[in-house]
Structure formats: structure tokens, C-alpha cells
Amino acid sequence: MEMYEIIKKLREKNGLSQAELASIVGYKDRSSIAKIEAGLVDLTKSKIASFADALHVSPAELMGL
């Protein structure tokens, strides 16, 4: 499973909307999350860490390792 698929699955599992997750990780609106979940955006290491914290998993789990 690709990281963008894992992000979407975990977001839904945690009961977060795209807008809520965007706010938690520092994006201005949900469109950024939509692009990430569509696999259109590569995340930096710092953003991977932010997403992992927000979704209560390790960065390795988020990356599918």
C-alpha cells in the first residue's frame, strides 16, 4: 500500500475530515490533503513526521515499512 493510501485510511479510521487533518498538520485548507491522498504530492520528511504524529503512528508505519 502506498503512503497516500495509508494516510487516507488512517485519517478515516481516526474520524478526521480532510479539513481537520489539514489544520493539524499546518495546511491552510483541505485541498492540500485531497492532493496528497490522490498521490499527486510528495511529502517532505518533516511533513511525514507531522502526519505520523497527527495520525498516531510512527513515520515508518505511515510509509508502509
Side-chain angles (χ1 to χ4, degrees):
M1 188 179 299
E2 296 291 327
M3 184 167 51
Y4 66 91
E5 295 168 310
I6 294 169
I7 289 171
K8 181 175 182 176
K9 178 182 166 191
L10 290 171
R11 176 183 61 76
E12 292 172 343
K13 179 182 174 191
N14 283 283
L16 296 171
S17 69
Q18 288 180 337
E20 290 168 327
L21 182 56
S23 177
I24 293 167
V25 297
Y27 289 111
K28 292 182 181 177
D29 59 47
R30 65 153 214 92
S31 66
S32 298
I33 302 301
K35 290 176 186 173
I36 291 165
E37 289 182 354
L40 302 175
V41 177
D42 289 328
L43 297 175
T44 63
K45 288 181 184 179
S46 63
K47 279 296 182 192
I48 290 171
S50 295
F51 273 88
D53 286 343
L55 297 169
H56 311 294
V57 296
S58 70
E61 287 176 273
L62 192 67
M63 292 185 290
L65 302 176

